[in-house]
Amino acid sequence: MSTVGVGGAGGARVQIEGVHKSFTLDGRSAPALIDISLEVQTGELLCLLGPSGCGKSTLLNIVAGFLPPTGGRVLVDGSPITGPGPERGVVFQEYVLFPWLTVAQNIEFGPRLMGVPAARCREITARYLEMVGLSEHATKFPVQLSGGMKQRVAIARALANSPSIVLMDEPFGALDAQTREVMQEELSRIQRVEHKTIVFVTHSIREAVYLADRVVVMTSSPGRIKEVFPIKLPETRNRFAPEFTHYESEITRVVKEEVAKVHE
Amino acid sequence: MSTVTDLVQWGLRGASQPRRRALALRVGAVLAFLGLWSLASGLVVLLDLFNPIFLAGPWLVLGKVVQLAANGQLWEHVGATLLRVLVGFTSGAVLALALGLPAGHFRAVRNALEPIVELFRPIPPLAMLPLFIVWVGIGETSKITFITYATFFPMFLTTVHAVQQVDPLLLRAASSLGARRTQLFFRVVLPAALPEILTGIRLGVALSFFVIVISEFIGAEQGLGYLINDGRNFFLVPQMLGAAIVLGLLGYGGNALVVLLERRWLRWEHPPSA
Ligand SMILES: Nc1ncnc2c1ncn2[C@@H]1O[C@H](COP(=O)(O)OP(=O)(O)OP(=O)(O)O)[C@@H](O)[C@H]1O
Ligand SMILES: [Mg+2]
């Protein structure tokens, strides 16, 4: 486990240096990621786009410390990671809530582990419950929640642990369009205050342009970096501004090329 | 059974209604069974089919049980059986958890234990009873050891399986929230494995009542198994049936205790819908 301390507000720098990843299937080694080098700046929100199966979750798992890379390395604030750690919060594509804990207990799981006093835990929980709009559901168990509600608990659980880096794997994938926009606005509002370092995987180009400081488009499997788009838009973004739609169509063109390759 | 929260939520009526109907159905079924039984034993007497001593009516059996209860004998036998089950089962459960939890968690422990367990598991526990008697004598120790031995295997195997089946994503989630090794074990592995572990415990409880009778057939002075065997020697059919029914009730009670634990600890699987 890494020794990097838990940051409150503020992020940390993530350097992904020449990362390769191969999986062995039936004795044959198949590449999933090829030569990924990226630097995510402190306080930057970086969006990863790419066709299904191109290795976005794999890359996130490597940065989280769940999977060792086959080659290359990942540094956080200059020191190589050796495993998962609380300074890197994760929101999983599959939610992964603890089914035996209530919504509130799931959210305070991290703070409780850290020995945060009970009263402070309650404050934190209340704050994040409110943020994700689940205050009414604090005492429910995960089996009683819809997919979108589970996803929001997973987001609250990751943020309540105040990580300096947040790795989010399609965190809004299960939400309806309206809730999704509300959550996007909420995340960008949090980001303006807390300046965390965020790696955000999504399939929605609009979402990427709305949230990201930079958008990274990956090639179809095996994943490489195809193109990086710095998004030079004001912090508060208007989805209907001409510059916004310009980025959108530009990125769509590049993503489509790769998605087409999957179906060849 | 209605919990306090149910009562608060529904009052004395409402949600408890279907439950009451289920209870009525159960009581009705038991009464119908007793009626049929009386009818059968009555017909045996009326039509002179065979010696009625072989099929005593429920009232004779009940009378015998009441009589044994009144003169205190029943409680001695029940006490003896329960004590053996309690000690034997508890040691079996402690052993199964103490070995099963690490075996599920650590591959090395599993690899070391597996061949030994697989060697003994296919042997019917009953085959080992005479050996236990030779080794530790015919007294309490062999009976208790027998229960421990017989209940160990199903509880050990379910525990190992339960721990192995824990979703690795849950461990990832917890470790990225800062959980260390021991915290992972106590806060993730244990609660995630608990449902299946309790299923194993339930099997163990049922099995204890199953095997205690056999060991009480051999060289016991007390216990419900002794009561049955003693009844056989003297053709005391009401005593045999009575002891068997009391055993059934004890087994039912043991199961109900585990169900109670499951309700309390596994509420998250079927939380009361609000
Ligand atoms: N544990 C594993 N063992 C073998 N192959 C794997 C494993 N995990 C992922 N892969 C392979 O690696 C590639 C990338 O998978 P990954 O889950 O990272 O894709 P993704 O970009 O997240 O896709 P999606 O958008 O559908 O979530 C896929 O070809 C997949 O089959
Ligand atoms: Mg994925």
Side-chain angles (χ1 to χ4, degrees):
Chain A
M1 232 164 260
S2 159
T3 49
V4 180
V6 182
R13 192 161 53 116
V14 179
Q15 290 159 281
I16 302 170
E17 296 186 344
V19 163
H20 286 257
K21 181 70 191 177
S22 309
F23 289 107
T24 324
L25 281 176
D26 309 323
R28 286 189 308 123
S29 146
L33 290 174
I34 296 178
D35 196 23
I36 306 286
S37 291
L38 269 176
E39 209 173 302
V40 195
Q41 299 304 328
T42 302
E44 184 182 22
L45 197 158
L46 184 115
C47 275
L48 275 182
L49 279 173
S52 178
C54 76
K56 303 179 296 292
S57 298
T58 305
L59 183 58
L60 228 54
N61 280 333
I62 291 171
V63 177
F66 301 141
L67 285 178
T70 314
R73 57 180 191 164
V74 177
L75 309 171
V76 169
D77 279 342
S79 20
I81 60 158
T82 56
E87 80 288 351
R88 277 162 289 142
V90 180
V91 180
F92 295 84
Q93 195 170 355
E94 310 85 350
Y95 330 134
V96 202
L97 302 180
F98 304 115
W100 57 89
L101 298 179
T102 63
V103 167
Q105 289 166 336
N106 262 283
I107 295 174
E108 63 183 23
F109 188 91
R112 289 294 278 274
L113 284 180
M114 302 283 151
V116 174
R120 177 87 189 99
C121 276
R122 272 196 299 279
E123 274 172 40
I124 295 173
T125 308
R127 173 166 159 233
Y128 284 96
L129 272 172
E130 182 163 5
M131 188 204 94
V132 296
L134 290 174
S135 303
E136 311 271 277
H137 305 280
T139 58
K140 284 194 176 162
F141 286 98
V143 292
Q144 295 169 293
L145 305 179
S146 72
M149 290 158 91
K150 284 184 201 161
Q151 209 155 42
R152 285 181 278 155
V153 178
I155 294 163
R157 181 181 67 182
L159 294 179
N161 205 31
S162 41
S164 48
I165 298 160
V166 194
L167 309 168
M168 305 175 100
D169 200 348
E170 298 183 35
F172 304 153
L175 304 180
D176 62 274
Q178 281 74 40
T179 316
R180 192 168 179 147
E181 288 199 355
V182 171
M183 292 297 297
Q184 289 168 2
E185 281 152 24
E186 196 57 41
L187 182 64
S188 98
R189 193 187 58 77
I190 293 171
Q191 192 52 2
R192 284 198 296 276
V193 179
E194 303 204 357
H195 299 291
K196 293 187 183 294
T197 304
I198 300 181
V199 182
F200 189 106
V201 172
T202 177
H203 281 290
S204 160
I205 294 160
R206 273 176 77 77
E207 182 165 273
V209 176
Y210 185 76
L211 292 172
D213 297 307
R214 273 190 301 160
V215 174
V216 174
V217 179
M218 291 173 68
T219 64
S220 55
S221 184
R224 304 165 206 257
I225 291 174
K226 183 174 170 82
E227 209 165 328
V228 180
F229 297 87
I231 309 290
K232 297 201 173 66
L233 289 174
E235 273 197 330
T236 332
R237 293 179 188 178
N238 172 2
R239 293 187 177 86
F240 303 100
E243 301 80 16
F244 191 98
T245 33
H246 172 74
Y247 276 116
E248 223 184 317
S249 53
E250 188 76 350
I251 296 172
T252 307
R253 191 177 53 75
V254 176
V255 170
K256 270 200 176 146
E257 282 173 21
E258 286 309 313
V259 174
K261 282 186 197 159
V262 178
H263 297 287
E264 260 165 25
Chain B
M1 219 178 311
S2 59
T3 59
V4 174
T5 39
D6 273 349
L7 282 178
V8 169
Q9 197 162 5
W10 300 105
L12 284 173
R13 284 160 196 269
S16 62
Q17 202 62 37
R19 274 193 200 154
R20 221 183 289 164
R21 205 172 303 159
L23 187 70
L25 205 67
R26 283 175 176 208
V27 171
V30 171
L31 288 179
F33 174 74
L34 287 177
L36 280 178
W37 180 4
S38 319
L39 197 69
S41 57
L43 283 177
V44 168
V45 176
L46 271 179
L47 306 177
D48 202 16
L49 290 176
F50 49 79
N51 190 339
I53 196 176
F54 290 118
L55 186 61
W59 316 118
L60 267 177
V61 174
L62 199 66
K64 184 70 193 173
V65 172
V66 169
Q67 181 208 329
L68 286 174
N71 69 19
Q73 277 187 48
L74 181 67
W75 309 122
E76 275 172 37
H77 294 297
V78 166
T81 297
L82 273 185
L83 190 66
R84 288 169 188 147
V85 164
L86 196 72
V87 178
F89 162 79
T90 309
S91 340
V94 168
L95 213 60
L97 290 175
L99 292 175
L101 292 173
H105 205 49
F106 303 107
R107 184 187 297 269
V109 180
R110 186 157 63 244
N111 288 344
L113 286 177
E114 193 134 55
I116 307 171
V117 170
E118 286 307 313
L119 195 68
F120 282 94
R121 195 167 67 96
I123 307 174
L126 194 51
M128 304 296 285
L129 181 57
L131 268 174
F132 289 141
I133 293 175
V134 169
W135 285 335
V136 298
I138 204 160
E140 291 303 301
T141 321
S142 69
K143 293 180 179 54
I144 289 167
T145 315
F146 182 52
I147 298 178
T148 305
Y149 179 81
T151 55
F152 169 77
F153 291 96
M155 291 197 280
F156 173 77
L157 291 172
T158 44
T159 305
V160 172
H161 188 255
V163 173
Q164 265 186 289
Q165 287 299 103
V166 172
D167 184 355
L169 279 179
L170 289 173
L171 297 173
R172 285 185 174 182
S175 57
S176 74
L177 289 166
R180 313 256 158 170
R181 274 176 172 280
T182 43
Q183 290 170 325
L184 282 181
F185 182 77
F186 286 104
R187 304 205 186 206
V188 182
V189 174
L190 218 49
L194 192 60
E196 203 184 334
I197 292 177
L198 282 176
T199 305
I201 298 242
R202 202 125 69 95
L203 272 174
V205 169
L207 203 58
S208 327
F209 283 100
F210 194 81
V211 301
I212 180 61
V213 184
I214 300 164
S215 66
E216 283 177 347
F217 282 174
I218 303 171
E221 304 291 303
Q222 271 183 332
L224 291 164
Y226 161 79
L227 212 54
I228 292 174
N229 205 36
D230 179 64
R232 184 185 61 103
N233 290 336
F234 302 100
F235 277 119
L236 304 172
V237 174
Q239 177 179 319
M240 294 165 76
L241 280 173
I245 287 170
V246 172
L247 257 172
L249 288 176
L250 291 183
Y252 184 84
N255 191 61
L257 274 180
V258 184
V259 170
L260 206 70
L261 286 185
E262 286 180 344
R263 286 237 179 104
R264 175 165 283 210
W265 289 344
L266 307 181
R267 262 171 63 89
W268 52 272
E269 286 193 317
H270 309 282
S273 49

